[in-house]
Amino acid sequence: MRRLRLLIHYLLVVVLLNGCGEQHVLEKLGLAVAVGYDLSKDGKLLGTTVFYQIDPEARELVTVISGTAHTSKGLTVAQNRESSKKIVGGQIRVVVYHDELARKGILSLVENLTRDASIGSNVYLTVAKGRAYDILTHRYPENSNIGIYLYQAIRQNVEGENMISSKLHEFMKDYYAVGKDAVMPYIERVKNELHINKIALFRDDRLVAEITTREGFFLKILRERYNKGELEINISLDKKRLFTVIEHISSKKQIKVLDLEKPRFSVKVKMTAQIQEMAEKIDLSKPEQLKKVQKAIELAVKKETEHLLEKLRKHDVDPVGFGEIYNIAIQKSGKKKLSQEEVREIMKRAKYEVDVEIKILRTGVIG
C-alpha cells in the first residue's frame, strides 16, 4: 500500500511539473491562426498574421501583426522581429490571398506552407476581393478573432456542402494533377460582414475567373458526390415559370470519354431529392404530376450544368477534371500520356453530352 501511495504521489508531481513547464513555454509564443498575403506598393510581399497570446496579463488575447519582405520566410523573420512573442504556425487554420496577388501566381507561397512541418494539411486556402490586410486587421464588433471566425464560416459551408473544400493538400493535389484545376472560396468584406458568395477558379496556380456559389453547386455535383443541401430552381411547368426548392439532395455522376479524336464526353448525373416548397400547389401523389415535375427539374438542372461547362471552357479552366479523365482514356488506348499543355489544347475543342435523371422522394400536396 505504501509503494502504491508513493507511485501515485510521484505521478502527480510529474504531471504538475509538466503542466507548469508547458505553460511557461506557451506564454512565450504567439499561436498564429490566420495568415494573409498581399503585394505591397514596392513589389514586396505584405504579410498579415492573426495570433493568440497565451498570457493572462495580456490586454488582448488576439493580436494582428504585419510586415513586408521578399519571401514568406522573410515575412516570418520580420514579424518575429517586431513581436514580443515568437510566432509559430502550428495552429494556422486559414490563409487569405489578395486576388491581385493570386492572379500573378501563388505556387511558391503555397508550397512553403507544405514544407513547414508544423502546419497541418487541413488549413483552408481562400482568395480575397481586396487586400487580405484590410480583412484581417478590420475590427468586427461581433467577432473578436477573425481567424477563427473565417475558418468556422468556411468549414460550416464545406460540411453543409454549400462550398467546395479548398484545403492545402486538396489545392496541391489538383495543381499537380494533369488535366484538373484548383478552386478556392472567394471572400469579400462588406462593412462589418464577410461574404463568401463566389468561387475562385485557378489555371495552374493563377486566379483567372470566378463563378457564383450557385454555379458552384453544379460544379460540386460534377466533381464529387453530393449528399445533402438544398437548391432553389426555376422550372417550366405547363407553360408557366415557377420556383421550387429541393432539399436533402443526393447525387452521383458518371463521366466517360465518347470520342478521343474529336473529344466528346458523356456526363450523366443521377439525383434524388425531396421537394420542400413550390410556388403553386401541386399534388405529387398523382404519378402524371410527379413525372412532369421531375422532368421539369431535370431540364432546368441540365441547362444550368451546360451553361457552367460553357463558362469553364470560355475561361480555359477545368476544375471538374475532364482533362484528367481524357488522359487516362488515351493511355488505355495505347498512346502516351499527355502533358498539361497538350491536355489544355485538346479540352478547348471538347463537347459535352449532359444527361440528368432526378428521382423525387417526397410525394403529396406541395405548395
Side-chain angles (χ1 to χ4, degrees):
M1 181 63 71
R2 187 185 175 197
R3 287 184 178 179
L4 180 59
R5 286 178 179 172
L6 286 172
L7 178 60
I8 293 173
H9 177 74
Y10 172 75
L11 290 174
L12 285 172
V13 170
V14 170
V15 170
L16 289 172
L17 285 175
N18 283 342
C20 293
E22 184 66 19
Q23 184 180 18
H24 179 68
V25 172
L26 287 176
E27 285 178 353
K28 296 180 179 179
L29 300 179
L31 305 179
V33 292
V35 178
Y37 294 103
D38 300 289
L39 280 176
S40 64
K41 292 181 179 179
D42 58 2
K44 293 181 180 180
L45 278 175
L46 169 63
T48 307
T49 301
V50 180
F51 64 91
Y52 274 124
Q53 295 189 82
I54 312 299
D55 186 349
E57 296 182 3
R59 278 181 151 185
E60 294 190 14
L61 295 180
V62 179
T63 302
V64 183
I65 194 167
S66 63
T68 60
H70 292 285
T71 63
S72 59
K73 291 297 182 185
L75 285 173
T76 303
V77 174
Q79 290 177 353
N80 274 316
R81 195 180 295 131
E82 295 180 20
S83 174
S84 61
K85 310 285 185 181
K86 181 181 179 182
I87 301 172
V88 294
Q91 296 299 312
I92 291 177
R93 293 291 178 264
V94 62
V95 179
V96 184
Y97 301 99
H98 183 190
D99 53 5
E100 180 183 324
L101 174 63
R103 288 190 180 94
K104 295 179 179 297
I106 56 173
L107 180 60
S108 62
L109 294 173
V110 178
E111 281 191 328
N112 281 333
L113 292 174
T114 65
R115 294 192 191 104
D116 190 333
S118 70
I119 297 176
S121 61
N122 287 330
V123 176
Y124 283 112
L125 307 183
T126 66
V127 169
K129 184 177 178 62
R131 296 198 307 170
Y133 174 87
D134 296 330
I135 287 176
L136 297 180
T137 59
H138 184 77
R139 291 277 183 170
Y140 299 87
E142 297 182 4
N143 300 293
S144 59
N145 189 331
I146 182 57
I148 295 299
Y149 170 76
L150 187 52
Y151 165 73
Q152 291 175 341
I154 295 170
R155 185 181 66 176
Q156 179 268 132
N157 276 282
V158 169
E159 291 178 351
E161 301 210 45
N162 298 314
M163 178 68 63
I164 297 171
S165 183
S166 64
K167 292 180 180 178
L168 175 58
H169 70 279
E170 292 167 332
F171 180 91
M172 295 307 296
K173 180 183 177 183
D174 287 347
Y175 173 80
Y176 282 111
V178 176
K180 191 174 183 180
D181 290 314
V183 300
M184 287 187 196
Y186 209 138
I187 66 174
E188 180 181 7
R189 181 176 69 83
V190 180
K191 296 182 179 179
N192 290 324
E193 295 182 349
L194 283 177
H195 295 179
I196 310 175
N197 51 17
K198 290 183 180 179
I199 295 173
L201 303 177
F202 282 76
R203 186 189 306 132
D204 298 325
D205 69 327
R206 297 171 186 266
L207 169 67
V208 294
E210 68 272 351
I211 57 175
T212 64
T213 50
R214 179 180 180 82
E215 291 170 318
F217 168 86
F218 299 97
L219 175 57
K220 185 174 175 62
I221 65 175
L222 293 179
R223 279 173 62 106
E224 57 201 68
R225 282 179 176 269
Y226 198 92
N227 295 308
K228 53 186 172 181
E230 60 184 24
L231 176 71
E232 182 184 73
I233 195 161
N234 192 345
I235 64 174
S236 177
L237 194 66
D238 296 329
K239 297 182 179 181
K240 291 188 292 185
R241 304 296 304 185
L242 58 92
F243 284 93
T244 181
V245 177
I246 56 177
E247 64 173 0
H248 299 303
I249 299 166
S250 176
S251 75
K252 59 181 180 179
K253 47 81 177 175
Q254 183 182 62
I255 300 174
K256 291 183 177 180
V257 180
L258 298 177
D259 193 333
L260 289 171
E261 298 303 319
K262 297 179 179 179
R264 187 162 53 93
F265 293 85
S266 165
V267 181
K268 292 185 178 181
V269 176
K270 289 188 177 182
M271 301 174 64
T272 59
Q274 295 180 2
I275 293 182
Q276 184 187 59
E277 183 182 349
M278 295 195 75
E280 295 185 11
K281 284 190 176 181
I282 295 177
D283 190 354
L284 296 181
S285 64
K286 296 179 179 179
E288 65 276 11
Q289 286 292 84
L290 178 62
K291 189 174 181 180
K292 276 184 181 181
V293 171
Q294 286 185 160
K295 290 297 180 185
I297 296 175
E298 286 171 355
L299 181 60
V301 172
K302 181 178 187 296
K303 285 184 175 180
E304 292 210 48
T305 303
E306 290 174 335
H307 176 75
L308 170 67
L309 292 175
E310 185 58 36
K311 190 171 185 177
L312 296 178
R313 180 167 50 188
K314 176 185 175 182
H315 292 294
D316 191 20
V317 291
D318 188 3
V320 177
F322 287 106
E324 189 175 37
I325 295 168
Y326 182 89
N327 216 350
I328 292 171
I330 207 164
Q331 288 175 78
K332 286 183 178 179
S333 72
K335 297 182 180 179
K336 69 173 185 176
K337 182 179 180 179
L338 300 174
S339 67
Q340 182 72 280
E341 293 73 22
E342 289 172 323
V343 170
R344 285 203 189 283
E345 195 59 35
I346 290 170
M347 287 301 102
K348 290 178 182 178
R349 300 181 283 110
K351 305 292 183 182
Y352 306 99
E353 296 179 7
V354 179
D355 179 56
V356 178
E357 180 183 321
I358 293 180
K359 182 179 180 181
I360 303 299
L361 299 178
R362 181 178 173 180
T363 58
V365 179
I366 305 294

